[in-house]
Structures are given as structure tokens and as C-alpha cells.
Amino acid sequence: MPPSGSELTAAARVELDRAKTARLRADMEALLQHAQKAIALISGLEGKDGMDKDLAYAALEHTFHAQISLERRDDAQATSEHMAQFARAAQNPLKLATAHRCLAVAAREAGDLRQAVTHAQDMYQTLLRNKNRGLLAEACDLLGGLYHALGEHSKAVGYFSECLEIKRDFEDTYGMAMAMLRAGSVLNDQGRHQAAFDHLSAALLFFEKTGSQGRVADACLGLGDACAAKGIVKSALRYYSRAAAIARETKNEEARLCCLVRSGNLLARLGKPAEALSRFRDAAKTAAALGFKERVAECHFKAGHAFALAGRPGEALKEFARAKELCRDLGSKGPGEGAGDSLLMDIEESAASIHSAREDHAAAMEALNAAYALAVHGNNKRKTAYFAWLGSIVLRAKGEPDTAAEYQLKAYEVLSQVKSHSELASHLVALANAFLGKKDPDSAMALAKRAVKLLAGNPNKGSLAAGYVCLAAAHAGKKNTEQAVQLYRKAVSLAGESGDQSLTVSASLALAKLLQKSGNYKESMALYEKALGHGVQIEDLGQAAQSYWNLGMLRMYFGEREKSVKAINQAEGLWKRTGEVPEKAKKWLAERAGVTPGKWSRR
């Protein structure tokens, strides 16, 4: 005699209870097994009055969770579609919202982020219509994460902020801390480092109280990133060290790897190559143990930079060679898909720089030609033009002007394939800034001039202002002070008209420094005042401190003692936060305080 409907339902409930236990134990194989047994039992009730639809939906949800955890993406996609059909037939908005969430997660795991956003938006709208604010926070969290992954930071911050407000209304402190942690991560990526620091600090305070060590490490890592971006290097190192210690305790080697690499980068910046090397070597061992070949290559590359900073070019080149071997082992699937192609380009460029400094032009050209070939292979027009232009510089130094001209022509030909004038100008300005960083104002000037010419008449005044800033910096690098001042004035005016406050500040500070050097102290002081009082948080605290210092010295020159002391105190406060004080300023401040310069940092 076949089992009755009540017997099948009871047996299904037992299997679901076992599934819940397996889920709590994180035993995904057992979870899938029990959930599928429950589905099979419930299927025997189809068409009968005793079929429990809530039970059937719960079994499908457990099945989906197990399939996602076990990376059975196709099965998970099919299960989520079945859930959506079931919810629509039942006309149950709550079940439909859950089905949309599962569809979004399945699409995300399959790598289709846009489709995932569509399903997550369906979940959000369904819950909004039914005024279910509890689950609406979950939809906001999901959308925030998806938009962050897509690089649409403003939307991501908006959804995380909405999630935070809902959690605050429900007095869910853990949920609030998680929303602040995630918003802080996005704000860091968006470049809003002070806002990121504020969010992450609040999250850290909560996680410390609750003893959530993993989350404390996440918050410390984000705070380290915010401090590093703001120029507060010693604080950044402290946060990274704390996060690394927690990661070691909790055996989270991936998190520890991130901390080691980032702290190594900062130590190299601080001029401590020996300590940086120690971090990179430890990071390379950790990455190798995890099987992350590209990260091992990256660690060798960074170790090479640390050797270069320490004045040991031979050892730097050995590290670069090891990194190249590892990158080539990663292979390449096609144009732009080489696992290590981007890193290989950086390695070849760095090697070329060392060879050029040694006047080994043949070796430098070999490295640049390899980088150029990779850029062509990856269809990266900006990099292709950049390496061609670098090649022309090396060839001129080598005494081959005709070949150098051919390489320069290659660079222009590549860029001329870009149809949009504004996009082409953006490429040119980026290249010009790269050459300014390499102390090559001639190349920067040629590229910036062309960019400005292309942007003339363009309604985007911010882009034109950026072009003028670049061109002015090139003239300043060639000691053409008068032309540089005129161009900076144009840039400040255009940046102001465009409403780009950050660009207005940076252009004003650059002009103020140039005017100060040329003896125009009154106008320089006015520009410092305008820039620093613009209401914009200058994220680079080192730059802000130097600007306050310059303003303080100028005020002192004009006898404005009270205002001078205020500006100098602000500079001193910022330098204390960064832990990096210019020697000249340190000596002056020490004398003012009546202590020896060596004791300034301890007073």
C-alpha cells in the first residue's frame, strides 16, 4: 500500500530538519542530500490536497544554498528558476522576493553581474511594494555589493547607506556595523578616504566590543588603506600589522597575504627597503602555499622595486627575471586574457628603467619591445602608445634619431585610432602625466599640447582644465615659469567653471607654489588661503601640511603673526598624524619649542 499524504509530509519534514542541521554544521553535501530527498517526497504529493507548498519551497531553498556552496552553478540556476515559477504560481510576494535573490546570486556566481543586478532590482521593487523593510535591507546589501563589483561606486554607496538607515531603524547594531564596513570599502575605492575612515572606525569600535575577530581584521585592513591614501603611513602600518596578526591567529592566509603586500609597499615608500623586502618574501611564501602563482610573481616584482630603491639594481633585475618566469608559466588564452600580461608589462617597463639608468640602451629597448608586444596583444592602446614613446626616448639616448622618430610616429598612429576626441585627449593627458612622473617634461609637453588642442571648444571644461594643468607642469619642469603661470591661471579658472572642486584645489596649490618661488608672495598667499579654505578635504595630508606650512611662512613674512602661528600649528598637527616631517620644518619647529630636533617626535 503506497504511503499516505500525511506520511509523505511527515517524512519530508524529517528530511528538512536533517537538512537544517547539516546547514548549521556547514556540511553542504549532507544538506543537498537531505533537501533533495525532501523534494522527492513532496513530489509524491503533487496534485493532492495535502501538499504543503511552504515545505516544498523551503526544500528548494535549501537545495539552492547547497548547490551554490558546492559551486554547482548550472544546477543552482535551474533551482532558482523553479523557485521563481513556484512563487509566481502561489502569488506570494515574500517567496518571489527570495526567488529573485537566489536568481541574482546564481547570476553573480556565473559572472553575469548585469543580470544579477536586474534580479536584485526585482527583489528590491517587490519588497518596496509590499513594505517589507526587514528584507529590503538584504536587497540593498546585495545591490550595494553588485554595484561595487561593477565599479559603480556612487550607486553602491547609496544602497549601503539605505541598508544602514533600515538597520538603524530596527536597532540592529551588527547589521549597522556590517553596512558601515561595506560602505567604507566602497568609499576607499571611490577616493573618499576620510569618509571611508569614519565609517570603518565606527564599524571597528562595534566589532571590538563583540569580539568578532574576522571583522576586526576586515575593518583594520580598510582603515590601513584609508590612512595610506591620506599619507598617514605609520598609522596605516599599525592597522595592517594588527590585521595580519588576527589573520595569522584565525588562519586566514589570504587576508594575511594582503596585509603583507600592502605594508611592504608602504615600507618601500618610507625608504625602508630591508623591511619591505622581508614583507614581500614572506608574502611570496604565503602566496605559493595558497597556490596563487600570479601573486607570487607580483611579490617578486615588488621585491625587485625594493632592491632598486636600496640602490641594488643587479638584485632588482634578478627578482624581475624570476617574476617574468612565473608570469609566463601562467599562460595566455588570447588578446587581453593573459593571466600575467598586465604584470609582465609593468616588469618589462621597470627593467627598462634600470637598464636606461645604466646606459645599457640595447637591453632597455629589448624590455620595451617586449612590453610593446604585450600591449598590442592585449589591444591596450594607451599602453601601446606609451611604450612606443618610451622606446623613442631610449633610441634618442642611444644615438638613433631616425628610429626614434619612427617609434614616436607609432605612438601617434595608435592613438589616432581612437575616434572620440575627448577619449583621445584623455589618453594623451594620462601619457603626459606618466612622463612628468619620469622627469621628462619635453615628452609631457608634446602630448599635453596635442590634448589641449583637441579639447579646445569641448563643453567639458574639467577635461580641458586637466590638460592645462599637465601642460603647465611641463613648462614648470622646463623652467618656463611665465608660461607655466599663465597656463595654471587658465586651469584654475576652467576648473572653477566646471565645478570640479578637487581639480580647483590641486591647480590652485600648484599655481601658489610656483608664484611663491617666483617671488609673488601676496598672490601666492591668497591662493593658499582659497585652496585650503575651499571646504574640500585634501586627502593627501602631506600635501595639505606643506601648503599650511608655506602659508604660515608667508604670513610671517608679512608680519601677520597670529594667522601665521595658526597655519603653522595646523601643518604641525598634520605632520604629527603622518609621522613624516621635512627636516627643515622639523628643525624650525624644534627651535620654536626649545628642544633639540631629535626630540621633536617625542615631545
Side-chain angles (χ1 to χ4, degrees):
M1 183 178 175
S4 65
S6 59
E7 288 173 331
L8 287 170
T9 300
R13 286 188 189 282
V14 169
E15 291 299 334
L16 278 180
D17 286 339
R18 289 172 180 166
K20 287 174 188 175
T21 304
R23 189 165 177 173
L24 287 170
R25 293 199 316 265
D27 185 347
M28 293 301 121
E29 290 287 358
L31 171 61
L32 183 60
Q33 184 184 357
H34 291 303
Q36 287 181 332
K37 279 184 181 178
I39 289 170
L41 289 164
I42 293 164
S43 297
L45 294 168
E46 208 161 344
K48 299 180 181 180
D49 292 339
M51 183 179 181
D52 190 326
K53 293 179 180 179
D54 290 337
L55 208 63
Y57 194 83
L60 285 170
E61 196 173 354
H62 280 308
T63 301
F64 173 82
H65 182 81
Q67 288 166 338
I68 281 291
S69 299
L70 294 167
E71 297 186 4
R72 299 181 185 179
R73 296 188 180 96
D74 292 340
D75 292 342
Q77 178 70 32
T79 302
S80 61
E81 287 169 0
H82 192 181
M83 289 171 68
Q85 290 169 4
F86 197 99
R88 288 189 189 100
Q91 295 183 339
N92 186 317
L94 183 59
K95 285 186 172 60
L96 185 59
T98 308
H100 284 311
R101 179 182 62 77
C102 292
L103 284 164
V105 171
R108 182 190 67 196
E109 294 303 305
D112 190 347
L113 294 180
R114 287 293 172 194
Q115 188 61 44
V117 165
T118 300
H119 290 306
Q121 285 285 6
D122 288 340
M123 176 191 181
Y124 179 87
Q125 293 300 330
T126 301
L127 294 166
L128 199 63
R129 282 194 298 271
N130 288 275
K131 299 178 181 178
N132 189 322
R133 281 175 61 76
L135 280 178
L136 190 64
E138 189 180 337
C140 290
D141 183 69
L142 179 58
L143 281 163
L146 290 169
Y147 278 121
H148 187 194
L150 285 165
E152 297 182 29
H153 299 130
S154 296
K155 289 182 181 178
V157 170
Y159 280 111
F160 283 133
S161 298
E162 187 175 350
C163 177
L164 177 60
E165 288 305 312
I166 294 169
K167 295 292 184 184
R168 187 176 283 121
D169 290 347
F170 281 96
E171 296 182 356
D172 177 357
T173 51
Y174 183 82
M176 286 168 61
M178 285 301 300
M180 285 188 284
L181 179 67
R182 288 175 178 149
S185 177
V186 183
L187 289 162
N188 258 336
D189 288 346
Q190 198 178 18
R192 295 168 59 190
H193 304 296
Q194 184 58 50
F197 186 89
D198 294 340
H199 278 72
L200 292 164
S201 296
L204 177 62
L205 193 64
F206 173 81
F207 292 132
E208 283 174 332
K209 287 178 182 175
T210 59
S212 307
Q213 287 294 85
R215 295 305 180 192
V216 168
D218 291 338
C220 285
L221 192 59
L223 285 163
D225 291 343
C227 288
K230 286 168 68 61
I232 313 173
V233 179
K234 290 188 178 179
S235 292
L237 284 170
R238 282 196 295 272
Y239 281 121
Y240 288 147
S241 295
R242 187 178 176 192
I246 294 170
R248 187 191 286 276
E249 286 172 21
T250 57
K251 294 182 170 58
N252 187 342
E253 290 299 290
E254 284 190 47
R256 185 168 167 271
L257 175 60
C258 283
C259 297
L260 288 169
V261 171
R262 292 176 193 184
S263 58
N265 289 338
L266 286 180
L267 287 163
R269 266 174 59 185
L270 278 175
K272 297 181 179 179
E275 291 179 53
L277 275 168
S278 174
R279 295 287 203 287
F280 291 137
R281 282 173 175 157
D282 195 357
K285 287 176 188 174
T286 305
L290 290 166
F292 296 166
K293 290 183 179 178
E294 189 170 3
R295 296 303 297 274
V296 177
E298 182 190 346
C299 291
H300 281 287
F301 170 54
K302 289 179 180 293
H305 267 300
F307 274 124
L309 286 168
R312 295 155 69 181
E315 287 166 279
L317 289 170
K318 285 178 187 175
E319 291 288 344
F320 291 156
R322 178 67 184 127
K324 277 200 287 186
E325 284 175 28
L326 289 163
C327 283
R328 286 175 182 139
D329 288 346
L330 294 168
S332 180
K333 299 173 186 175
E337 294 177 24
D341 283 1
S342 177
L343 182 56
L344 260 175
M345 283 190 279
D346 292 339
I347 294 166
E348 296 288 10
E349 182 189 350
S350 298
S353 179
I354 289 176
H355 288 310
S356 291
R358 290 173 146 191
E359 297 188 356
D360 186 350
H361 301 306
M365 280 309 302
E366 185 182 344
L368 287 173
N369 282 330
Y372 177 85
L374 286 164
V376 170
H377 178 67
N379 196 30
N380 187 328
K381 290 183 172 60
R382 184 178 292 182
K383 283 284 188 182
T384 303
Y386 176 61
F387 291 129
W389 198 289
L390 274 178
S392 73
I393 294 166
V394 173
L395 286 163
R396 276 201 300 272
K398 195 180 174 185
E400 297 181 19
D402 293 340
T403 316
E406 288 174 16
Y407 270 74
Q408 199 165 327
L409 184 61
K410 275 185 189 179
Y412 278 125
E413 283 174 353
V414 170
L415 290 174
S416 66
Q417 294 170 22
V418 179
K419 293 179 181 178
S420 162
H421 277 197
S422 58
E423 187 184 348
L424 174 55
S426 171
H427 284 310
L428 290 166
V429 169
L431 285 172
N433 280 321
F435 284 108
L436 282 172
K438 286 186 169 289
K439 311 295 182 189
D440 183 357
D442 291 309
S443 296
M445 188 180 293
L447 292 159
K449 276 182 178 177
R450 193 168 180 201
V452 167
K453 189 175 180 182
L454 282 167
L455 289 166
N458 190 306
N460 188 341
K461 292 182 179 179
S463 297
L464 185 55
Y468 274 122
V469 166
C470 190
L471 186 55
H475 275 289
K478 288 179 66 65
K479 310 298 182 188
N480 300 334
T481 306
E482 191 176 334
Q483 293 95 319
V485 166
Q486 289 174 1
L487 291 164
Y488 273 131
R489 288 190 199 283
K490 282 185 182 179
V492 170
S493 174
L494 287 164
E497 288 175 32
S498 73
D500 188 333
Q501 291 188 321
S502 178
L503 186 58
T504 304
V505 168
S506 60
S508 298
L509 289 175
L511 177 56
K513 288 172 189 173
L514 198 59
L515 288 168
Q516 186 178 355
K517 283 181 182 177
S518 62
N520 190 343
Y521 301 132
K522 279 282 187 185
E523 190 178 355
S524 174
M525 192 163 68
L527 281 162
Y528 279 127
E529 287 174 342
K530 182 181 177 183
L532 291 166
H534 213 279
V536 175
Q537 176 67 43
I538 299 173
E539 296 294 354
D540 185 340
L541 295 191
Q543 181 190 17
Q546 188 61 55
S547 299
Y548 274 119
W549 177 265
N550 292 346
L551 179 59
M553 292 294 109
L554 285 169
R555 286 191 185 285
M556 188 176 291
Y557 178 82
F558 286 102
E560 299 176 9
R561 178 171 173 74
E562 190 177 331
K563 290 181 179 179
S564 170
V565 169
K566 185 179 178 182
I568 290 169
N569 286 343
Q570 284 174 309
E572 184 181 11
L574 291 171
W575 274 325
K576 279 186 177 179
R577 289 173 66 187
T578 65
E580 298 173 47
V581 189
E583 284 303 316
K584 190 176 178 180
K586 187 184 286 188
K587 185 179 178 182
W588 191 96
L589 289 164
E591 287 172 356
R592 183 180 76 163
V595 296
T596 57
K599 294 181 180 176
W600 181 85
S601 60
R602 296 192 292 274
R603 66 185 174 86

